[in-house]
Amino acid sequence: MSPAKIVIVGGGFSGVECARYLERHLSPEEAFIQLVSPDAGLLYLPLLPQVASGVLNPRSISVSLRRVLRRTEVVPGRAIGVDPETRQLVVQRRAGVESALEYDHLVLVPGSITRVLDVPGLAEHGFGMKTLAEAMYLRDHVLRQLDVAAMRGGEDEDRERLNFVTIGAGYAGTETTAVLNKVTRAAARRYFPKAESEMVRWHLVTRGDRIMPELGEQLGERTKRILAERGIELICGASAKEVTAHGVQLTNGRFIPSRTVLWTAGVAPSPLAGHLGAATEKGRIVTEADFTVPGLAGVWACGDAAAVPDLVSGDGAVCAPTAQHAMRQGRHLGKNLVAVLRGADPEPYRHPDLGMVVDLGGADAVARPLKIGLRGVPAQFVTRGYHLMALRTAVARARVAFDWTTHGLGGDDFLRIGYGDFDTRTIEGFEQTGCYLPAEDVPKVLGSLGDKV
C-alpha cells in the first residue's frame, strides 16, 4: 500500500509536536508528512515580550522548522481554504501562486491571531504583539519616541510620545508592559533631563478589576502591587473606544494622549476554522476529546483553533488556548494518528493544568506551578527554568541562557534598528542616500531656518 498522506496546517507548537511524534513513530512506508507554514521557524511566543524589551535576541526564540523536522516536507505558504469532500487543501505561496495539496488525514492547527475589535482607528494606529516582527517593530517604535522627545519638543508633543498605553491585562499585555516599562524608564534616567524622564508613564487598561485571573487572587494582587511600585497605572473597568494618531479615548470617558497604543485584548482562532462547515464555538472548531472533527472523515484539529473538551475540568469546559495545552495536544494527536493508521482506536486527551509563569523583568516574577503560589526570585527561577525546558532544541536553550546572562551582566544599550523610520524596501531607502542637500542649497535652507538653528 502507498503511504498515507498526512498534511499538517500550522508550524506552531501543536503542528511541530505532532510532526515530531509522527516522524519518530511512523516509517516512510507508512506515511508521507507535509507541514504547511508561512514561516520557516517555530516561534516560542511566551518569550516574545523579552524580545520587545531587548533582553533576548530575536533568533533565540525562533527555531528553524528544518532543524527540528528531519523527514517532514515543509511547504512554505499559507493554507487559505479546505475542501473536505475532495480532501484537498488550497495553499497560497509567497508569490501569490495557489496550489492544491491532497491529503488522507488533515491536521488543522493554524493557531490564533490577534482579536481586533471594531474600534475606530485601532487598525490604523494600534500595535500588536503576536509575531516576531511586531515585537521588534514595537521596541524600535518605543525607543524612537524617547529619541524624538529627547530633542526637547513642545511639552504636549513630548507627553504624547512618553505616554504608553496597553489595552488588555492578560499574560501578553501585562508582561510586555512590565518589561518595556523597565526599558523606557532606564533609558529616560540615563539620557533625559529629570523633568522629561518623569514624564515617562505606562498605562495598563483592563475591562475587569483583575489581571491574569489564572494566577489566583493573591498572586494577582501581588502583581498589581509590583506594577504600581514601578509607576505603571492600572486602569480597571475600561477599554479603548477610539484610537487616534495622538491618543486613545477610553470607554470610561478618559482620553490619554499617546503615540503608542498596544492592543493585547485577546486572541481569535485562525479564519481557516470557518472553511470546513464544521460546528464552531467562538470561532474554534468543535472536536471530540480525541481531536477528530465530527462529520468530517480524516480531519483532526487541536491547539488554539480547536475547542477540545477539557475532561479534567468537566462541566462542558474546553481547553484554554495556551502553549502548555498546544504542545501536549500536538503530541497526543500524533499518537492518535499512529493508532488509527495501525488499526487501533484513538484515545481522548486528558491533561491537568500545570499552572502559569509570568516574568515581570529583573528579579520580579510570579508563578503558580501545580497550584503553588510563588513570587520573587523563586518564581523567576521556576519561570525561566520552565521556558528553557519548553524550547525545542539545545541550541535554542543555549542561546536564550546566554542572552539572559549577557543582559544581566551588561544591561541594555537601548539601540534600535530603525524599523519604520524610512521606506526601507530599496538600497536608497535603507542607506538614505537621497537625503543630502546640494551644496548650493545649504545657505538657502539655513537662511529659512533663522532662529530655529
Side-chain angles (χ1 to χ4, degrees):
M1 295 178 63
S2 60
K5 294 181 180 178
I6 300 175
V7 177
I8 302 171
V9 176
F13 294 126
S14 295
V16 170
E17 289 300 318
C18 180
R20 280 163 57 92
Y21 189 94
L22 294 175
E23 284 187 350
R24 291 195 298 267
H25 294 86
L26 291 176
S27 67
E29 290 74 27
E30 290 179 287
F32 171 62
I33 310 163
Q34 293 178 301
L35 186 144
V36 181
S37 174
D39 304 308
L42 166 63
L43 178 64
Y44 187 71
L45 279 169
L47 288 178
L48 206 55
Q50 296 196 35
V51 171
S53 67
V55 173
L56 294 180
N57 185 295
R59 290 181 62 242
S60 299
I61 68 167
S62 186
V63 179
S64 169
L65 292 177
R66 292 180 174 87
R67 178 190 286 268
V68 178
L69 304 175
R70 304 307 177 103
R71 186 160 57 85
T72 299
E73 180 183 348
V74 178
V75 180
R78 187 178 300 277
I80 60 174
V82 181
D83 186 347
E85 292 187 5
T86 62
R87 297 201 176 193
Q88 289 183 308
L89 178 76
V90 181
V91 177
Q92 185 179 66
R93 305 294 181 124
R94 285 292 186 187
V97 178
E98 296 176 355
S99 59
L101 295 181
E102 296 181 346
Y103 65 85
D104 296 310
H105 290 274
L106 177 66
V107 178
L108 288 175
V109 284
S112 59
I113 58 175
T114 299
R115 182 182 62 181
V116 180
L117 302 181
D118 189 20
V119 176
L122 175 60
E124 294 81 8
H125 306 295
F127 292 81
M129 261 294 290
K130 198 72 172 64
T131 67
L132 197 57
E134 285 176 313
M136 296 168 66
Y137 187 92
L138 178 64
R139 173 179 170 82
D140 245 42
H141 170 81
V142 167
L143 292 179
R144 183 172 187 269
Q145 305 315 301
L146 301 178
D147 287 344
V148 175
M151 299 296 292
R152 305 302 298 273
E155 182 176 344
D156 290 342
E157 180 180 338
D158 284 354
R159 195 170 300 281
E160 285 182 9
R161 294 190 181 278
L162 300 178
N163 259 340
F164 306 93
V165 183
T166 301
I167 309 296
Y171 177 94
T174 302
E175 249 198 5
T176 304
T177 300
V179 295
L180 280 179
N181 175 70
K182 285 180 68 70
V183 170
T184 50
R185 289 185 180 275
R189 285 194 299 269
R190 182 179 298 185
Y191 298 122
F192 286 5
K194 183 177 179 182
E196 289 201 357
S197 66
E198 291 177 349
M199 293 173 66
V200 174
R201 182 169 292 275
W202 279 82
H203 311 262
L204 182 60
V205 182
T206 177
R207 282 189 176 275
D209 59 354
R210 298 173 61 185
I211 59 176
M212 297 181 293
E214 300 87 352
L215 285 173
E217 186 172 352
Q218 187 175 1
L219 286 180
E221 290 301 316
R222 172 61 180 171
T223 304
K224 285 184 180 181
R225 289 197 295 273
I226 292 173
L227 298 181
E229 290 167 0
R230 293 186 182 183
I232 298 171
E233 181 184 4
L234 179 64
I235 303 173
C236 298
S239 187
K241 183 178 181 181
E242 182 180 6
V243 182
T244 71
H246 300 283
V248 55
Q249 181 73 48
L250 302 181
T251 53
N252 63 2
R254 180 178 173 183
F255 179 81
I256 303 177
S258 177
R259 300 285 180 97
T260 310
V261 178
L262 175 61
W263 180 264
T264 58
V267 296
S270 166
L272 189 64
H275 283 227
L276 295 171
T280 58
E281 180 177 328
K282 295 182 179 180
R284 302 171 74 186
I285 303 167
V286 174
T287 73
E288 302 289 358
D290 60 6
F291 308 121
T292 55
V293 179
L296 297 177
V299 178
W300 309 69
C302 70
D304 292 1
V308 179
D310 187 346
L311 299 183
V312 175
S313 300
D315 298 325
V318 297
C319 295
T322 63
Q324 179 186 149
H325 276 300
M327 287 189 283
R328 287 166 175 78
Q329 286 178 1
R331 286 195 293 269
H332 195 96
L333 197 157
K335 178 180 177 181
N336 281 350
L337 260 174
V338 172
V340 168
L341 290 177
R342 293 176 178 173
D345 294 327
E347 298 179 359
Y349 171 78
R350 182 188 298 269
H351 174 70
D353 186 3
L354 296 180
M356 187 177 185
V357 294
V358 181
D359 189 337
L360 299 173
D364 288 325
V366 289
R368 197 165 179 262
L370 302 175
K371 300 183 179 180
I372 302 172
L374 299 174
R375 61 189 185 186
V377 175
Q380 187 65 278
F381 179 80
V382 170
T383 297
R384 296 202 167 182
Y386 172 82
H387 288 320
L388 285 177
M389 292 302 297
L391 289 165
R392 289 299 85 195
T393 66
V395 172
R397 296 186 190 107
R399 284 175 176 165
V400 168
F402 178 81
D403 287 350
W404 280 336
T405 303
T406 304
H407 189 271
L409 295 175
D412 197 330
D413 290 328
F414 311 110
L415 294 175
R416 60 191 185 89
I417 298 174
Y419 293 122
D421 287 3
F422 313 106
D423 180 4
T424 54
R425 291 173 293 178
T426 63
I427 295 175
E428 180 180 338
F430 273 109
E431 301 181 17
Q432 288 296 290
T433 55
C435 69
Y436 300 98
L437 292 170
E440 61 271 17
D441 288 350
V442 173
K444 186 191 306 181
V445 171
L446 289 175
S448 67
L449 292 175
D451 295 335
K452 297 180 182 179
V453 177

